[in-house]
């Protein structure tokens, strides 16, 4: 008796032995959909795709310290809570950066208050971790963060987003929830403040002059 | 040493150099693989806590919902307490004026929306002065009323009985006010009431079974238990006199009960003098204050038969004071009229008592005699016009009565203008 052949209503997808038969989460929209449907793979996919970006941004803004990892996790926990409110699933990246910006803003303010009321009577910053081998670079980095601490939270974030992360003015504006012109003004103000502080610091002034000369060579 | 200031362009360059330097120096301090497993553990803990918070929030929501339902179920109860009471009179809408004049034939029953009832006896007059959510104010101008208030948590019922104010605390009682005699009587059945009297201060609080009688005319106040008087207080004229302080706010200590003497039988056997002797032996004041209604009535009759009109008058007055709602009280009014029938100073007191009797007992056994005695008195004191009016009423009610001939003779006399 001949066997009946059942016609499939979708194309056959061949997989390697041991590979999951579930569809791959390729786009941001796929990840958002999977998060909303409580797909077990979704958190890992989200983390793999965006944790590096968020970690780098936070580390640059706050200084490379061990607690940055905690703050990265905090950002992603907030993403999980708020992802149902995301209207456009393809806008996952600006959504995450916006949340990271908020977390960063509160962290900067929390540190500022902490330094004022209890952590340090001198107002000096704790030591930061750096991969630099030479002591001069380590000292320069330390003094650079002293300068960044003099900026307001938004100026500091605008400086980091625009000049370190290479975001466009519109992306900076979206991450800070301000207008593009305000974002541009914040970047300019932060740049002038940083430059003036560097000019006031003979060590940094010579350090960056030397670096520029070396770079030109 | 401070260097030359940066221009805008140079400041941008310096800022870019600083940013580039920081970016180069700040490499991640932890690998992605390590951080992924750490984050996975934290996410698991977070989700568990998040679920617990969600359950907690649901629990709170359900509790709030139940509280709302509970309040909604209680709403009729609260509405009951916030709406004004209404009432009906004999199952009909009350008159617009609120004034109630009860006919002679039957009593009127006021039924309030909270279940409380006020039964007004025949010929009683009164009005519902005010209606509130937790009670009402009722004014009894004259007559008797039986009150039954449904006890609730907060009730504000007030009865203005003549010049007295009775504050009700959830109770049933009978109350009477005789404006002609200025006699107030309240018999408390259950619950408690406070009575504010124009001559008593502080207010008098009564217990179940007690009867308060106050006579404003002779300033006597009596609190009795059941039919037996248990205490009498002479009320002082002045509010600040020391004796006024002893007027009881609470019932006085009970005196020994009156031992019935059976004087009625002795009077019936013609032993009036023996009764008077017995009274004198016991003390006239004691007998007047404590004797039961039978013995007091017998004393009044014995004194009348023996010609001791002063004692008879006092016994009859006390009968009316202490037992104002009894039929003997009304009959006493007629007999007091008879006692003053021959007053040399004029017919005023006799006429007053006859009128009082006619008002209290318009269908009583002595109405014919009372009207006839009035005709005789008015004629004797040359008040013919008034006598004619009474004579006309007499003939209308008793055309063949004892005084009919005298009444007709008065009306047919030539001096009378018809």
């Amino acid at each position: 008796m001949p066997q009946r052949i059942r016609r499939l209503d979708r194309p056959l997808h061949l997989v390697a032995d041991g590979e999951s038969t579930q569809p791959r989460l390729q786009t941001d929209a796929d990840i958002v959909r999977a998060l909303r449907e409580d797909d077990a793979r979704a958190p890992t996919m989200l983390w793999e795709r965006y944790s590096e970006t968020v970690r780098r941004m936070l580390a640059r803004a706050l200084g490379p310290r061990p607690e940055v990892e905690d703050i990265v996790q905090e950002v992603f926990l907030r993403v999980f809570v708020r992802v149902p409110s995301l209207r456009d699933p393809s806008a996952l990246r600006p959504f995450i950066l916006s949340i990271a910006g908020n977390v960063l803003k509160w962290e900067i303010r929390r540190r500022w208050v902490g330094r004022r009321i209890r952590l340090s009577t001198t107002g000096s910053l704790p030591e930061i971790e750096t991969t630099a081998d030479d002591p001069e670079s380590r000292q320069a980095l330390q003094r650079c963060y002293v300068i960044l601490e003099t900026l307001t939270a938004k100026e500091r974030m605008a400086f980091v987003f625009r000049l370190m992360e290479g975001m466009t003015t519109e992306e900076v504006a979206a991450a800070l929830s301000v207008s593009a012109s305000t974002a541009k003004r914040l970047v300019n103000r932060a740049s002038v403040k940083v430059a003036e502080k560097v000019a006031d610091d003979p060590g940094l002034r010579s350090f960056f002059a030397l670096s520029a000369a070396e770079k030109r060579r | 040493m401070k260097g030359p200031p940066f221009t805008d362009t140079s400041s941008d360059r310096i800022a870019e150099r600083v940013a580039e330097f920081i970016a180069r120096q700040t490499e991640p301090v932890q690998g992605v693989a390590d951080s992924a497993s750490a984050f996975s553990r934290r996410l698991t803990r977070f989700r568990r806590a998040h679920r617990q918070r969600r359950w907690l929030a649901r629990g709170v929501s359900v509790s709030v919902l139940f509280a709302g339902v509970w309040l909604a179920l209680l709403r009729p109860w609260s509405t009951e307490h916030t709406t004004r009471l209404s009432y009906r009179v004999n199952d009909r809408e009350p008159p617009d004026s609120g004034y109630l004049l009860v006919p002679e034939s039957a009593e009127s029953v006021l039924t309030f929306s909270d279940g409380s009832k006020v039964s007004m006896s025949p010929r009683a007059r009164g009005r519902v002065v005010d209606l509130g959510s937790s009670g009402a104010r009722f004014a009894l101008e004259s007559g008797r009323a039986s009150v039954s208030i449904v006890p609730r948590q907060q009730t504000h019922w007030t009865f203005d009985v003549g010049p007295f104010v009775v504050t009700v605390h959830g109770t049933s009682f009978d109350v009477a006010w005789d404006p002609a005699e200025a006699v107030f009587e309240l018999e408390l059945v259950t619950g408690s009431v406070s009575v504010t009297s124009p001559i008593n201060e502080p207010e008098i609080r009564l217990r179940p079974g007690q009867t308060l009688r106050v006579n404003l005319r002779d300033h006597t106040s009596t609190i009795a238990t059941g039919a037996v008087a248990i205490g009498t207080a002479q009320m002082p004229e002045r509010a600040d006199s020391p004796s006024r302080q002893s007027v009881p706010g609470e019932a006085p200590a009970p005196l020994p009960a009156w031992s019935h003497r059976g004087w009625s039988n002795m009077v019936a056997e013609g032993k009036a003098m023996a009764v008077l002797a017995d009274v004198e032996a016991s003390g006239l004041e004691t007998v007047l204050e404590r004797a039961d209604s039978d013995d007091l009535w017998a004393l009044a009759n014995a004194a009348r038969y023996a010609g001791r009109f002063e004692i008879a008058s006092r016994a009859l007055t006390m009968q009316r004071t202490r037992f104002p709602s009894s039929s003997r009280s009304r009959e006493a009014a007629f007999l007091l009229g008879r006692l003053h029938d021959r007053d040399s100073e004029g017919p005023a007191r006799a006429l007053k008592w006859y009128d009082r009797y006619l008002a209290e007992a318009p269908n009583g056994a002595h109405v014919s005699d009372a009207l006839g005695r009035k005709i005789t008195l008015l004629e004797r004191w040359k008040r013919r016009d008034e006598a004619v009016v009474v004579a006309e009423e007499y003939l209308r009610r008793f055309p063949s009565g004892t005084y009919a001939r005298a009444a007709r003779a008065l009306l047919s006399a030539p001096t009378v203008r018809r």
Side-chain angles (χ1 to χ4, degrees), chain B residues 153-168:
Chain B
Q153 278 192 331
Q154 285 188 333
T155 51
H156 297 287
W157 286 85
T158 308
F159 289 81
D160 297 325
V161 184
F164 295 80
V165 178
V166 181
T167 306
V168 179

PDB file of all heavy atoms in Angstrom, chain B residues 153-168:
ATOM      1  N   GLN B 153     -27.170  52.751  66.843  1.00  0.00           N
ATOM      2  CA  GLN B 153     -25.901  53.221  67.406  1.00  0.00           C
ATOM      3  C   GLN B 153     -25.967  54.696  67.754  1.00  0.00           C
ATOM      4  O   GLN B 153     -25.505  55.123  68.790  1.00  0.00           O
ATOM      5  CB  GLN B 153     -24.770  52.975  66.402  1.00  0.00           C
ATOM      6  CG  GLN B 153     -24.242  51.546  66.458  1.00  0.00           C
ATOM      7  CD  GLN B 153     -22.964  51.397  65.688  1.00  0.00           C
ATOM      8  OE1 GLN B 153     -22.752  52.117  64.729  1.00  0.00           O
ATOM      9  NE2 GLN B 153     -22.137  50.470  66.092  1.00  0.00           N
ATOM     10  N   GLN B 154     -26.537  55.479  66.879  1.00  0.00           N
ATOM     11  CA  GLN B 154     -26.634  56.907  67.148  1.00  0.00           C
ATOM     12  C   GLN B 154     -28.058  57.345  66.884  1.00  0.00           C
ATOM     13  O   GLN B 154     -28.509  57.332  65.746  1.00  0.00           O
ATOM     14  CB  GLN B 154     -25.685  57.687  66.253  1.00  0.00           C
ATOM     15  CG  GLN B 154     -24.236  57.582  66.678  1.00  0.00           C
ATOM     16  CD  GLN B 154     -23.352  58.518  65.884  1.00  0.00           C
ATOM     17  OE1 GLN B 154     -23.659  58.863  64.761  1.00  0.00           O
ATOM     18  NE2 GLN B 154     -22.252  58.925  66.485  1.00  0.00           N
ATOM     19  N   THR B 155     -28.747  57.670  67.950  1.00  0.00           N
ATOM     20  CA  THR B 155     -30.101  58.172  67.778  1.00  0.00           C
ATOM     21  C   THR B 155     -30.219  59.524  68.463  1.00  0.00           C
ATOM     22  O   THR B 155     -29.593  59.764  69.496  1.00  0.00           O
ATOM     23  CB  THR B 155     -31.139  57.216  68.394  1.00  0.00           C
ATOM     24  OG1 THR B 155     -30.740  56.927  69.732  1.00  0.00           O
ATOM     25  CG2 THR B 155     -31.252  55.945  67.616  1.00  0.00           C
ATOM     26  N   HIS B 156     -30.960  60.399  67.832  1.00  0.00           N
ATOM     27  CA  HIS B 156     -31.158  61.730  68.410  1.00  0.00           C
ATOM     28  C   HIS B 156     -32.658  62.031  68.367  1.00  0.00           C
ATOM     29  O   HIS B 156     -33.130  62.693  67.448  1.00  0.00           O
ATOM     30  CB  HIS B 156     -30.369  62.779  67.632  1.00  0.00           C
ATOM     31  CG  HIS B 156     -28.891  62.559  67.682  1.00  0.00           C
ATOM     32  ND1 HIS B 156     -28.134  62.801  68.804  1.00  0.00           N
ATOM     33  CD2 HIS B 156     -28.033  62.088  66.750  1.00  0.00           C
ATOM     34  CE1 HIS B 156     -26.868  62.502  68.556  1.00  0.00           C
ATOM     35  NE2 HIS B 156     -26.778  62.054  67.328  1.00  0.00           N
ATOM     36  N   TRP B 157     -33.348  61.481  69.326  1.00  0.00           N
ATOM     37  CA  TRP B 157     -34.781  61.728  69.431  1.00  0.00           C
ATOM     38  C   TRP B 157     -35.032  62.646  70.617  1.00  0.00           C
ATOM     39  O   TRP B 157     -34.517  62.414  71.714  1.00  0.00           O
ATOM     40  CB  TRP B 157     -35.544  60.414  69.646  1.00  0.00           C
ATOM     41  CG  TRP B 157     -35.644  59.566  68.419  1.00  0.00           C
ATOM     42  CD1 TRP B 157     -34.725  58.685  67.963  1.00  0.00           C
ATOM     43  CD2 TRP B 157     -36.731  59.524  67.504  1.00  0.00           C
ATOM     44  NE1 TRP B 157     -35.160  58.090  66.812  1.00  0.00           N
ATOM     45  CE2 TRP B 157     -36.392  58.581  66.501  1.00  0.00           C
ATOM     46  CE3 TRP B 157     -37.958  60.184  67.416  1.00  0.00           C
ATOM     47  CZ2 TRP B 157     -37.244  58.289  65.443  1.00  0.00           C
ATOM     48  CZ3 TRP B 157     -38.794  59.884  66.355  1.00  0.00           C
ATOM     49  CH2 TRP B 157     -38.449  58.953  65.390  1.00  0.00           C
ATOM     50  N   THR B 158     -35.831  63.659  70.382  1.00  0.00           N
ATOM     51  CA  THR B 158     -36.152  64.599  71.442  1.00  0.00           C
ATOM     52  C   THR B 158     -37.649  64.853  71.426  1.00  0.00           C
ATOM     53  O   THR B 158     -38.241  65.015  70.350  1.00  0.00           O
ATOM     54  CB  THR B 158     -35.399  65.926  71.232  1.00  0.00           C
ATOM     55  OG1 THR B 158     -34.015  65.631  71.065  1.00  0.00           O
ATOM     56  CG2 THR B 158     -35.575  66.838  72.418  1.00  0.00           C
ATOM     57  N   PHE B 159     -38.215  64.856  72.624  1.00  0.00           N
ATOM     58  CA  PHE B 159     -39.645  65.129  72.755  1.00  0.00           C
ATOM     59  C   PHE B 159     -39.823  66.366  73.620  1.00  0.00           C
ATOM     60  O   PHE B 159     -39.394  66.391  74.780  1.00  0.00           O
ATOM     61  CB  PHE B 159     -40.372  63.917  73.376  1.00  0.00           C
ATOM     62  CG  PHE B 159     -40.457  62.756  72.438  1.00  0.00           C
ATOM     63  CD1 PHE B 159     -39.382  61.895  72.259  1.00  0.00           C
ATOM     64  CD2 PHE B 159     -41.612  62.526  71.707  1.00  0.00           C
ATOM     65  CE1 PHE B 159     -39.447  60.838  71.379  1.00  0.00           C
ATOM     66  CE2 PHE B 159     -41.691  61.469  70.826  1.00  0.00           C
ATOM     67  CZ  PHE B 159     -40.606  60.620  70.650  1.00  0.00           C
ATOM     68  N   ASP B 160     -40.432  67.381  73.022  1.00  0.00           N
ATOM     69  CA  ASP B 160     -40.787  68.578  73.787  1.00  0.00           C
ATOM     70  C   ASP B 160     -42.197  68.348  74.316  1.00  0.00           C
ATOM     71  O   ASP B 160     -43.168  68.394  73.557  1.00  0.00           O
ATOM     72  CB  ASP B 160     -40.750  69.814  72.891  1.00  0.00           C
ATOM     73  CG  ASP B 160     -39.351  70.071  72.355  1.00  0.00           C
ATOM     74  OD1 ASP B 160     -38.391  69.810  73.094  1.00  0.00           O
ATOM     75  OD2 ASP B 160     -39.235  70.506  71.198  1.00  0.00           O
ATOM     76  N   VAL B 161     -42.266  68.077  75.607  1.00  0.00           N
ATOM     77  CA  VAL B 161     -43.571  67.783  76.223  1.00  0.00           C
ATOM     78  C   VAL B 161     -43.923  68.975  77.096  1.00  0.00           C
ATOM     79  O   VAL B 161     -43.428  69.093  78.224  1.00  0.00           O
ATOM     80  CB  VAL B 161     -43.511  66.485  77.044  1.00  0.00           C
ATOM     81  CG1 VAL B 161     -44.889  66.136  77.586  1.00  0.00           C
ATOM     82  CG2 VAL B 161     -42.987  65.344  76.192  1.00  0.00           C
ATOM     83  N   GLY B 162     -44.755  69.855  76.554  1.00  0.00           N
ATOM     84  CA  GLY B 162     -44.983  71.107  77.267  1.00  0.00           C
ATOM     85  C   GLY B 162     -43.655  71.815  77.459  1.00  0.00           C
ATOM     86  O   GLY B 162     -42.843  71.897  76.522  1.00  0.00           O
ATOM     87  N   PRO B 163     -43.365  72.252  78.691  1.00  0.00           N
ATOM     88  CA  PRO B 163     -42.080  72.911  78.929  1.00  0.00           C
ATOM     89  C   PRO B 163     -40.958  71.918  79.235  1.00  0.00           C
ATOM     90  O   PRO B 163     -39.838  72.328  79.506  1.00  0.00           O
ATOM     91  CB  PRO B 163     -42.370  73.774  80.148  1.00  0.00           C
ATOM     92  CG  PRO B 163     -43.426  73.033  80.883  1.00  0.00           C
ATOM     93  CD  PRO B 163     -44.254  72.326  79.859  1.00  0.00           C
ATOM     94  N   PHE B 164     -41.259  70.622  79.194  1.00  0.00           N
ATOM     95  CA  PHE B 164     -40.253  69.595  79.489  1.00  0.00           C
ATOM     96  C   PHE B 164     -39.597  69.118  78.188  1.00  0.00           C
ATOM     97  O   PHE B 164     -40.224  69.137  77.136  1.00  0.00           O
ATOM     98  CB  PHE B 164     -40.892  68.389  80.188  1.00  0.00           C
ATOM     99  CG  PHE B 164     -41.449  68.720  81.535  1.00  0.00           C
ATOM    100  CD1 PHE B 164     -42.685  69.325  81.677  1.00  0.00           C
ATOM    101  CD2 PHE B 164     -40.731  68.426  82.689  1.00  0.00           C
ATOM    102  CE1 PHE B 164     -43.201  69.632  82.919  1.00  0.00           C
ATOM    103  CE2 PHE B 164     -41.238  68.733  83.937  1.00  0.00           C
ATOM    104  CZ  PHE B 164     -42.475  69.337  84.050  1.00  0.00           C
ATOM    105  N   VAL B 165     -38.350  68.695  78.341  1.00  0.00           N
ATOM    106  CA  VAL B 165     -37.633  68.136  77.195  1.00  0.00           C
ATOM    107  C   VAL B 165     -37.187  66.726  77.566  1.00  0.00           C
ATOM    108  O   VAL B 165     -36.494  66.532  78.565  1.00  0.00           O
ATOM    109  CB  VAL B 165     -36.403  68.985  76.818  1.00  0.00           C
ATOM    110  CG1 VAL B 165     -35.660  68.350  75.646  1.00  0.00           C
ATOM    111  CG2 VAL B 165     -36.825  70.401  76.458  1.00  0.00           C
ATOM    112  N   VAL B 166     -37.632  65.764  76.778  1.00  0.00           N
ATOM    113  CA  VAL B 166     -37.269  64.372  77.027  1.00  0.00           C
ATOM    114  C   VAL B 166     -36.283  63.936  75.946  1.00  0.00           C
ATOM    115  O   VAL B 166     -36.612  63.951  74.762  1.00  0.00           O
ATOM    116  CB  VAL B 166     -38.512  63.460  77.003  1.00  0.00           C
ATOM    117  CG1 VAL B 166     -38.111  62.019  77.282  1.00  0.00           C
ATOM    118  CG2 VAL B 166     -39.543  63.937  78.009  1.00  0.00           C
ATOM    119  N   THR B 167     -35.085  63.593  76.382  1.00  0.00           N
ATOM    120  CA  THR B 167     -34.070  63.113  75.447  1.00  0.00           C
ATOM    121  C   THR B 167     -34.045  61.598  75.505  1.00  0.00           C
ATOM    122  O   THR B 167     -33.909  61.012  76.574  1.00  0.00           O
ATOM    123  CB  THR B 167     -32.683  63.669  75.812  1.00  0.00           C
ATOM    124  OG1 THR B 167     -32.790  65.090  75.884  1.00  0.00           O
ATOM    125  CG2 THR B 167     -31.661  63.307  74.754  1.00  0.00           C
ATOM    126  N   VAL B 168     -34.194  60.984  74.350  1.00  0.00           N
ATOM    127  CA  VAL B 168     -34.356  59.533  74.282  1.00  0.00           C
ATOM    128  C   VAL B 168     -33.038  58.880  73.919  1.00  0.00           C
ATOM    129  O   VAL B 168     -32.323  59.356  73.051  1.00  0.00           O
ATOM    130  CB  VAL B 168     -35.425  59.192  73.222  1.00  0.00           C
ATOM    131  CG1 VAL B 168     -35.604  57.694  73.115  1.00  0.00           C
ATOM    132  CG2 VAL B 168     -36.726  59.859  73.580  1.00  0.00           C
TER     133      VAL B 168
END
